[in-house]
Amino acid sequence: MNYKVTHITEVRYDALVNLARFNLRLKPAEWEGQVLTSYRLDISPVPKAVVDEAGPFIVNTARLTLDKPTASLIVTSEFTVRVDRDLPQPGRAAPSLPDVRSQALDDRGLSARDPAGYLFASPIAGMVPEIAEWAASRIAASDSVIGAASALMHAIRNEFTYDSKATKADTPPIEAFRARRGVCQDFAHIMIIALRHFGIPAAYVSGYLRTNPPPGKARLIGADATHAWVNVWCGNSLGWIGFDPTNAMLAGNDHIFTAMGRDFADVSPLDGVFIGGSGQRMMVSVEVTPLDP
């Protein structure tokens, strides 16, 4: 499936800002089953400098500096991408949880794709015993890593309510967990915390969802915005597999990968600082358009 994605971010300041620095994480990083075919980044006003960097996780970062007085910033990221992702076949043997834990601890790789960086607590996805206790019965009843991840994914979809007004970007995962309400970011963090408690490497993925569903299919929750799901390391033989707890489905050809990190802080589409005491407002619009008939 081929897609065109347009992501527009507009920041308006209540007074002129004289200096601002931002990190943009909008250009899709390389990932299996996906090929970036074109990319365009427009920034208004034109920044003093834009420096492209990669890492430290699976992420492309553009660092920009504005050094002239401005009352607004408009960032337009537009790209086309081809997604052809293989999903695990039904009935394919998957390693047990003890096997995955053992393989992850034995792995000595330190690259952004190796499991070590996603085993332990991170700034947002810390260790939360309350979430671990909730997850214990779901995980204990599973005989494989895919079964455990699937059980958690379906539990979140069935027991939590998608509510875009319930949380903000900086709401701690425990608050969304206790309220049983939130958005894809919250659900991904809850699932990551649960898996890491039991020694399973889990990563936060930022990306997009197909906006227009195929004929006869329901519209996916989280479309028309950036989306988040969980990559679970399923052992040496299977590697990383994406689980979308918001929609209770594996991350397949409806999911467009942008970046992967330990939690949202590593892959936030835009963050930064500015000099000034005024307030700011941010508006974001996303359009994902299938290009195939």
Side-chain angles (χ1 to χ4, degrees):
M1 175 62 72
N2 292 280
Y3 295 98
K4 177 181 178 182
V5 178
T6 303
H7 183 147
I8 301 174
T9 304
E10 183 174 2
V11 183
R12 293 190 177 275
Y13 301 102
D14 294 340
L16 289 179
V17 168
N18 294 314
L19 177 66
R21 293 179 176 175
F22 288 98
N23 300 311
L24 307 178
R25 304 178 186 90
L26 296 166
K27 182 179 179 179
E30 291 185 6
W31 193 253
E32 290 79 6
Q34 182 172 303
V35 176
L36 185 68
T37 52
S38 70
Y39 185 76
R40 179 177 68 89
L41 179 66
D42 286 339
I43 303 170
S44 178
V46 176
K48 174 185 177 181
V50 178
V51 178
D52 293 324
E53 299 180 0
F57 299 97
I58 310 294
V59 59
N60 289 323
T61 302
R63 303 187 187 277
L64 67 91
T65 302
L66 302 174
D67 65 343
K68 296 180 180 179
T70 182
S72 66
L73 171 69
I74 301 176
V75 177
T76 301
S77 170
E78 186 174 273
F79 63 87
T80 56
V81 63
R82 184 171 69 253
V83 182
D84 186 10
R85 187 166 291 123
D86 293 329
L87 297 178
Q89 296 300 312
R92 180 176 178 180
S96 67
L97 294 179
D99 284 345
V100 170
R101 285 193 290 264
S102 177
Q103 291 174 26
L105 292 172
D106 288 343
D107 192 295
R108 294 295 180 262
L110 295 177
S111 77
R113 292 176 178 265
D114 290 314
Y118 310 96
L119 264 172
F120 307 104
S122 55
I124 297 177
M127 291 299 163
V128 184
E130 189 174 335
I131 293 177
E133 182 179 354
W134 167 83
S137 62
R138 282 86 176 170
I139 288 180
S142 302
D143 59 359
S144 73
V145 64
I146 290 181
S150 297
L152 285 176
M153 175 179 73
H154 285 283
I156 292 171
R157 179 68 179 88
N158 293 334
E159 299 175 29
F160 292 69
T161 299
Y162 186 92
D163 183 352
S164 61
K165 297 180 180 179
T167 58
K168 299 180 180 179
D170 58 353
T171 299
I174 187 60
E175 292 188 15
F177 174 78
R178 289 172 176 167
R180 296 298 197 272
R181 309 181 78 84
V183 294
C184 56
Q185 174 181 316
D186 305 302
F187 302 156
H189 282 144
I190 290 168
M191 184 170 172
I192 288 168
I193 291 168
L195 288 166
R196 289 181 186 166
H197 259 285
F198 294 91
I200 305 303
Y204 184 102
V205 178
S206 174
Y208 303 93
L209 269 180
R210 173 203 289 263
T211 299
N212 300 313
K217 294 283 186 75
R219 186 175 182 273
L220 296 174
I221 299 172
D224 295 324
T226 55
H227 192 52
W229 60 94
V230 180
N231 264 359
V232 181
W233 192 74
C234 297
N236 295 321
S237 60
L238 297 179
W240 294 100
I241 296 176
F243 292 80
D244 181 352
T246 303
N247 292 289
M249 63 188 300
L250 295 180
N253 292 336
D254 290 325
H255 293 72
I256 301 167
F257 178 101
T258 300
M260 183 176 97
R262 299 166 300 172
D263 55 40
F264 175 74
D266 292 333
V267 298
S268 170
L270 183 150
D271 59 31
V273 296
F274 66 89
I275 295 178
S278 62
Q280 62 176 331
R281 290 161 290 149
M282 180 183 294
M283 291 76 71
V284 178
S285 66
V286 172
E287 184 176 359
V288 179
T289 305
L291 299 179
D292 299 334

